[in-house]
Amino acid sequence: MFALVRRADLAEVIGAALAAKASGAGARAIAAGIGRPVETVRGWLRRFAGRAEEVRTVFTVLLVDTALDPVPPAAMTTPFADAVAAVFGASVAAASRWPHVGEVSPWWLACAATRGRLLAPSLS
């Protein structure tokens, strides 16, 4: 799965925006960098921020359940960054267990794990 429910952009594009925000970039800079309207990017960032704790929890559990020797990600500077780190951590854990999973982006894994609902009103 490579797309999110009700989103026109691929998961990698949205994921790149989320990762950039977690690194401290603003919506205008992110939008310019990925060539998308700033309103669209702000919508993604708002939706993700509103569920950052839920995303962090889901992907931390996935990491711990998947990894052979789980190491949860270190606390970041914001809940948003914590959630993005959990997505990347779960991706690393899955790739360590199943090498072919490492051939897809962390955002494809996030799409599959949430059934495309990463930015939907509910993850379930």
Side-chain angles (χ1 to χ4, degrees), residues 7-92:
R7 306 292 168 182
D9 291 289
L10 296 178
E12 283 90 352
V13 173
I14 296 170
L18 299 176
K21 175 65 176 174
S23 295
R28 288 183 195 279
I30 295 168
I34 62 173
R36 298 299 186 273
V38 70
E39 298 82 16
T40 299
V41 172
R42 276 195 187 115
W44 299 338
L45 301 179
R46 251 186 255 128
R47 177 65 67 140
F48 191 82
R51 66 180 26 177
E53 182 58 28
E54 181 182 11
V55 171
R56 185 199 61 78
T57 300
V58 166
F59 284 93
T60 300
V61 168
L62 179 61
L63 181 158
V64 170
D65 287 349
T66 303
L68 298 173
D69 188 16
V71 179
M76 305 302 281
T77 57
T78 65
F80 192 105
D82 285 338
V84 170
V87 170
F88 279 100
S91 178
V92 169

Side-chain angles (χ1 to χ4, degrees), residues 81-104:
D82 285 338
V84 170
V87 170
F88 279 100
S91 178
V92 169
S96 72
R97 187 106 189 232
W98 302 289
H100 291 303
V101 172
E103 296 173 8
V104 301

